[in-house]
Amino acid sequence: EAVKRTPGLKLAANLAGVTQWIDFVAQQWDPKSPWHDRRVRLAAAVAIDRNAINQTETLGFSRPAASIIASRLEFAWSPPPYQYDPAQARKLLAEAGYPNGFDAGDFHGETSAASLSEAVVNYLGAVGIRTNLRLMERAAFLQQWRERRLPSLVFGAGGSYGNAALRVENTMVRGSPWVYGSHPDMDDLFSQQAHEQDPIKRAALLQQIQRLAHERVMFVPIWEPAGLAGVGPRVEESGLGLIEYYPYSAPYEDVRLRK
């Protein structure tokens, strides 16, 4: 906002290919956990006002998401968006046997996403899903997540390059250190796509995996966050966005100043 108010400066936004989401880790696979019930996971998905978060955090420049796969990656599938509906969230919780909500334990995240994590925790609390935010330094957070030492909700994020197959492998199928449980049919589809040389058939297999993940509400996607930068009056070409999903000013040789 200060950049926008400053004469001579302009605000530039750049999507970096990162997605952020709620990850249920082991809870989704535990029959004794409330998160084992799809209705509870769906309640969390519709309890969050992604557009309000976007406006507050990044002045509307980010992209609210219904998938944990960045939308412009090759083989990505675009699911229908989740509509913010706290009344529907409470109804789903009541149908699942939690008319007064429930205590969901700790919500683990890293310090760089503190304000966003707080917003998500507040939206969940407003419909009765009560959590305690636990923030950690990034290296410690990633180590504990990778070692499967986080017992309850995790504020997940991913920004690996490549195509949708790499994101699927990291988050949805058996074998990844970030995956606490998987569905055999999705594992089989991933194995099939790994050996498929026809790109059209491979895309269909990968998109089927993404559809199943969406239908089963395996995650609660939040958004694709935008990085914001101030560009000064001497800059002709900042380089931001010239390389898709690259978060910085590049290629350096294409950055130009005004004559």
Side-chain angles (χ1 to χ4, degrees), residues 4-241:
K4 292 173 69 176
R5 291 194 300 266
T6 303
L9 294 183
K10 65 178 180 180
L11 191 63
N14 188 28
L15 291 174
V18 173
T19 53
Q20 294 178 306
W21 66 89
I22 299 174
D23 198 303
F24 303 108
V25 290
Q27 297 292 314
Q28 181 175 176
W29 312 100
D30 182 359
K32 298 180 180 179
S33 170
W35 297 113
H36 188 68
D37 192 315
R38 178 186 180 276
R39 293 168 295 186
V40 176
R41 301 195 298 273
L42 183 58
V46 300
I48 298 168
D49 190 340
R50 294 162 178 79
N51 290 320
I53 290 176
N54 186 13
Q55 290 295 329
T56 302
E57 293 281 331
T58 58
L59 305 179
F61 285 102
S62 297
R63 178 177 292 169
S67 172
I68 68 169
I69 308 293
S71 56
R72 290 185 294 190
L73 288 180
E74 185 182 20
F75 306 135
W77 175 70
S78 297
Y82 289 111
Q83 301 298 326
Y84 173 53
D85 193 341
Q88 176 66 7
R90 296 186 190 95
K91 181 175 182 291
L92 287 165
L93 289 174
E95 291 175 355
Y98 305 99
N100 299 316
F102 63 95
D103 293 322
D106 291 338
F107 189 108
H108 304 276
E110 59 171 295
T111 53
S112 65
S115 61
L116 177 59
S117 301
E118 289 173 356
V120 171
V121 165
N122 288 340
Y123 278 117
L124 294 178
V127 301
I129 302 173
R130 298 175 291 275
T131 64
N132 301 308
L133 182 59
R134 302 295 184 196
L135 296 175
M136 289 178 277
E137 186 273 330
R138 180 176 178 81
F141 168 72
L142 291 176
Q143 180 178 0
Q144 290 191 35
W145 187 9
R146 184 174 57 248
E147 294 176 352
R148 302 181 183 178
R149 291 161 53 194
L150 299 178
S152 50
L153 298 183
V154 166
F155 190 80
S160 52
Y161 287 100
N163 57 36
L166 181 58
R167 303 285 182 102
V168 168
E169 182 178 23
N170 284 344
T171 58
M172 299 183 191
V173 297
R174 184 180 61 249
S176 168
W178 314 102
V179 174
Y180 285 53
S182 66
H183 293 282
D185 56 344
M186 295 171 64
D187 293 338
D188 289 343
L189 287 168
F190 187 78
S191 178
Q192 291 176 44
Q193 70 80 35
H195 297 89
E196 180 56 65
Q197 297 185 27
D198 185 324
I200 295 177
K201 293 179 180 179
R202 187 177 181 216
L205 291 167
L206 286 165
Q207 290 176 3
Q208 176 63 9
I209 295 172
Q210 295 168 70
R211 278 192 290 270
L212 289 170
H214 179 76
E215 291 168 3
R216 294 166 180 174
V217 198
M218 291 177 63
F219 313 91
V220 173
I222 307 298
W223 66 351
E224 296 179 40
L228 304 183
V231 179
R234 295 185 60 211
V235 178
E236 177 72 27
E237 172 55 72
S238 69
L240 293 168

